[in-house]
Amino acid sequence: MSIRNLLPAAAVALFALSACENKPQEVTNIAPDPMASVLANKAPVELPPAIKADVSMRCKDNSLAFVTFFEGDKQVLVKTKKDATPVKLTAEKAGDPLTAQGYVLTGDPKSVTLTQPGKSAQVCKVG
């Protein structure tokens, strides 16, 4: 085949391609969302507070307390052993004693007063 014969064939191919519409296909969902009204009426989601400090403390009776403080000062996690399940203590407003399951905690990430179930209140400090 010579170049003279290829030119008309190329022109026909280009003409055919130029006639195509290169628009993207639009996909729509015409079915309404069955959960739309339920989701619209839900209360806003509140994210959990960020960790403020995670400290280990030595108490007056020489025991250890592992305390995780959270932003907002209305929640802490307390463990008496490093691998124990933490107990979540909460307060209605910042500055109130944090309580749960016989535990009471007041203080800050440097020093706390901790009451544990079956024990009297004792001061626990970092370092």
Side-chain angles (χ1 to χ4, degrees), residues 56-65 122-127:
S56 57
M57 301 180 153
R58 178 73 60 183
C59 298
K60 189 174 182 178
D61 69 354
N62 212 25
S63 63
L64 292 174
Q122 59 182 333
V123 175
C124 303
K125 295 183 180 183
V126 173

Side-chain angles (χ1 to χ4, degrees), residues 45-54 68-77 88-91 94 98:
V45 175
E46 184 178 335
L47 295 174
I51 293 176
K52 182 178 184 179
D54 193 15
T68 303
F69 292 86
F70 292 90
E71 291 294 334
D73 300 326
K74 295 191 288 184
Q75 176 179 320
V76 297
L77 296 177
K88 179 179 169 183
L89 309 180
T90 58
L98 300 143

Side-chain angles (χ1 to χ4, degrees), residues 4-110:
R4 280 186 159 175
N5 293 338
L6 287 178
L7 285 176
V12 170
L14 284 175
F15 180 71
L17 287 175
S18 68
C20 293
E21 286 189 46
N22 290 328
K23 292 182 182 177
Q25 184 178 4
E26 187 175 324
V27 178
T28 61
N29 181 6
I30 50 178
D33 183 3
M35 295 290 293
S37 63
V38 174
L39 295 174
N41 295 327
K42 281 199 155 259
V45 175
E46 184 178 335
L47 295 174
I51 293 176
K52 182 178 184 179
D54 193 15
V55 295
S56 57
M57 301 180 153
R58 178 73 60 183
C59 298
K60 189 174 182 178
D61 69 354
N62 212 25
S63 63
L64 292 174
F66 302 92
V67 184
T68 303
F69 292 86
F70 292 90
E71 291 294 334
D73 300 326
K74 295 191 288 184
Q75 176 179 320
V76 297
L77 296 177
V78 175
K79 298 188 294 186
T80 54
K81 294 182 181 173
K82 187 127 179 113
D83 58 349
T85 302
V87 177
K88 179 179 169 183
L89 309 180
T90 58
E92 285 294 317
K93 60 182 182 174
D96 285 352
L98 300 143
T99 60
Q101 301 174 14
Y103 287 85
V104 178
L105 184 136
T106 57
D108 58 44
K110 294 181 182 178

